[in-house]
Amino acid sequence: MIQQHGDSAGSTLWLVTARGVFVAVLLLGIAVWNQSAPLAAMAALILALATVTRVWSRLALHSVRCTLEFPDDHAFPDDEVDLILRVQGRGPVPIPWLEVDFTVPRGLYATPEPGLGVLSGDGRALHLLVTLMPLRTVERKIRVRCRQRGVFDVGSVSLLVADPLRLYPRRREQPTNARLLVYPRVVPLEQIGLRAGLAMGDIRAPAIVLPDPVRPIGVRDYRPGDSPRQIHWKATARRGAVQVKVLERTVRRDLALYLDVGGFDHSWLVYREALFERAVTAAASLAHATIERGASVSLAYGGNDPVAIPGNSGLDQLRAILEALAVVTPSEGRPIDSMVSATLWRHPAGTTIVVLTPAPEELLLAELEPVRRRGDPVAIVYCGLRQAEPPEGIAWFDLGRERDVITALAAERRA
């Protein structure tokens, strides 16, 4: 039972309850039998009070409607968004006593405007006390600061209405559909020591130069081994010899991200959450930096709810990746090496493969080996606590607690 103002919410004066009505009827019968006018008047007064208060409260309870909504349905950590509370009186009965209570989910911090009370020290339980006239609407704005990524729902609000004397208060729960999606934090790559080098910055990998089929720049004579698809039929007919297209050669900037969610599912809760959040931030920041440069990026992770987002570019792709990273949690399930083997074939040659993992297992390294031998850039962003030996031929960055990436890069530059 929710406690309000020291009293049990929904408690009533016993005179207007069913027991009080029974006592009043009994007194009225005794008064009529004994022909006692004062006793009859007192019994009639109790009956009238119980009838009016009960009918008033029930009508008021069914005539009030409450809504909660986030005008902006997405945000980033440390952003402040509005949560709008609207209470409407849709019936002819005025509501002299209306209490609205709801709880803001953990991960959000509410700073309401004057008129809304805070019942808990962490700004989560909020309370509104108003008088609502018929066919009127009361609106309050709550400023909410986002503390962490995730999906946050305000499932319901609690409404308490009463008669003018608050003798017969009634309470009901009303569901709401207020939902806020908080994306993971996106920071400059310098802050996490991953300044563009994954074919975009500091990871030393040769650029893969490939012919671009959508950019022909001329024609030449056919040579053995040329693809029939590149034959330029109009030029062949005009010159009387087989001609093939000469394509402009471009550098691939595609990025494939793999997040090892299963490796974080261990008993060290504090370290696990801190390291996992750093890994998610790193993945989101890499995706943002890649798409900002006009390149393609994909994302895959396993666990209990595997996700594989094919490579693409543009804001819609970035939004899809951020939405997936906003809800991901550490969990055992499908291993990351299985996700790598199932999706590597989708990536064009030259794609940079980046795996964020706290435990680079042998199976994972075996799946990456053919890609490395082919000449594609491969990098591991290590997110574990223990010191680990970097695999040979694979770029290595440390996001761990003891050896920060920025410090590691600074040491490498000095060397």
Side-chain angles (χ1 to χ4, degrees):
M1 188 72 73
I2 301 176
Q3 299 294 319
Q4 298 288 347
H5 309 299
D7 298 326
S8 177
S11 61
T12 60
L13 184 67
W14 74 272
L15 286 177
V16 298
T17 62
R19 183 178 61 175
V21 173
F22 175 77
V23 171
V25 171
L26 181 62
L27 289 177
L28 184 60
I30 294 174
V32 172
W33 179 265
N34 294 321
Q35 296 183 353
S36 173
L39 185 59
M42 183 181 66
L45 181 61
I46 295 174
L47 282 176
L49 182 65
T51 301
V52 171
T53 55
R54 291 165 72 95
V55 171
W56 193 312
S57 293
R58 293 187 183 277
L59 288 177
L61 186 63
H62 289 89
S63 65
V64 65
R65 182 176 181 270
C66 181
T67 60
L68 274 172
E69 66 173 354
F70 289 100
D72 298 321
D73 60 355
H74 63 274
F76 286 90
D78 299 329
D79 283 354
E80 290 190 355
V81 297
D82 291 330
L83 175 61
I84 307 299
L85 169 67
R86 292 188 183 90
V87 184
Q88 299 175 323
R90 301 186 297 175
V93 179
I95 307 174
W97 192 291
L98 171 63
E99 295 181 16
V100 181
D101 300 282
F102 61 96
T103 301
V104 177
R106 289 192 180 277
L108 304 178
Y109 182 82
T111 54
E113 65 176 18
L116 266 171
V118 180
L119 297 181
S120 65
D122 60 356
R124 295 185 61 234
L126 302 180
H127 173 75
L128 173 67
L129 175 62
V130 295
T131 296
L132 188 63
M133 300 305 293
L135 306 178
R136 298 293 298 272
T137 300
V138 173
E139 182 175 302
R140 293 290 186 271
K141 181 185 298 183
I142 304 102
R143 197 69 176 168
V144 176
R145 188 171 73 246
C146 306
R147 288 176 166 176
Q148 62 190 51
R149 67 178 180 87
V151 179
F152 302 98
D153 295 293
V154 183
S156 64
V157 295
S158 177
L159 302 175
L160 185 143
V161 299
D163 55 276
L165 300 178
R166 203 181 186 276
L167 299 179
Y168 192 78
R170 296 291 89 189
R171 181 182 293 277
R172 69 180 172 91
E173 297 287 329
Q174 179 175 319
T176 66
N177 57 355
R179 166 170 287 199
L180 178 66
L181 179 65
V182 180
Y183 294 147
R185 195 180 305 275
V186 175
V187 299
L189 297 183
E190 295 87 343
Q191 292 188 17
I192 53 177
L194 295 176
R195 175 162 178 77
L198 315 151
M200 350 166 337
D202 288 346
I203 293 181
R204 308 303 182 198
I208 307 300
V209 182
L210 299 172
D212 191 339
V214 301
R215 297 183 179 181
I217 58 175
V219 294
R220 61 171 174 80
D221 292 337
Y222 175 83
R223 299 171 187 168
D226 287 341
S227 172
R229 295 183 179 180
Q230 302 304 325
I231 296 177
H232 196 299
W233 296 107
K234 290 184 178 180
T236 297
R238 185 169 57 251
R239 296 190 179 184
V242 179
Q243 303 292 305
V244 295
K245 301 174 185 176
V246 177
L247 303 177
E248 181 180 355
R249 301 177 71 82
T250 60
V251 177
R252 286 276 187 186
R253 299 294 186 184
D254 298 341
L255 187 67
L257 295 172
Y258 291 92
L259 179 61
D260 182 9
V261 299
F264 293 90
D265 193 14
H266 55 72
S267 58
W268 293 1
L269 182 62
V270 176
Y271 293 150
R272 179 190 70 184
E273 292 184 352
L275 291 174
F276 186 72
E277 290 305 317
R278 292 192 68 184
V280 172
T281 297
S285 302
L286 284 169
H288 178 268
T290 304
I291 289 180
E292 194 174 48
R293 289 166 172 80
S296 172
V297 62
S298 65
L299 171 70
Y301 57 78
N304 292 329
D305 189 15
V307 167
I309 302 176
N312 206 341
S313 58
L315 292 180
D316 289 340
Q317 177 74 354
L318 179 60
R319 186 179 300 110
I321 291 176
L322 293 180
E323 289 176 356
L325 291 175
V327 299
V328 64
T329 57
S331 63
E332 290 286 357
R334 187 170 181 180
I336 188 62
D337 55 273
S338 173
M339 296 299 298
V340 171
S341 63
T343 58
L344 271 182
W345 62 271
R346 298 178 178 175
H347 310 311
T351 298
T352 301
I353 310 298
V354 178
V355 182
L356 300 100
T357 176
E361 303 290 346
E362 291 297 329
L363 289 176
L364 172 61
L365 298 178
E367 293 292 344
L368 296 175
E369 182 63 19
V371 182
R372 187 188 69 82
R373 289 183 177 178
R374 191 175 64 193
D376 292 348
V378 179
I380 288 181
V381 178
Y382 179 63
C383 312
L385 289 174
R386 299 180 177 87
Q387 188 72 25
E389 288 295 329
E392 184 179 354
I394 294 180
W396 181 273
F397 286 89
D398 193 343
L399 280 180
R401 181 173 61 96
E402 298 176 354
R403 184 170 180 258
D404 188 77
V405 179
I406 301 177
T407 305
L409 290 180
E412 291 175 7
R413 292 191 186 99
R414 288 195 299 269

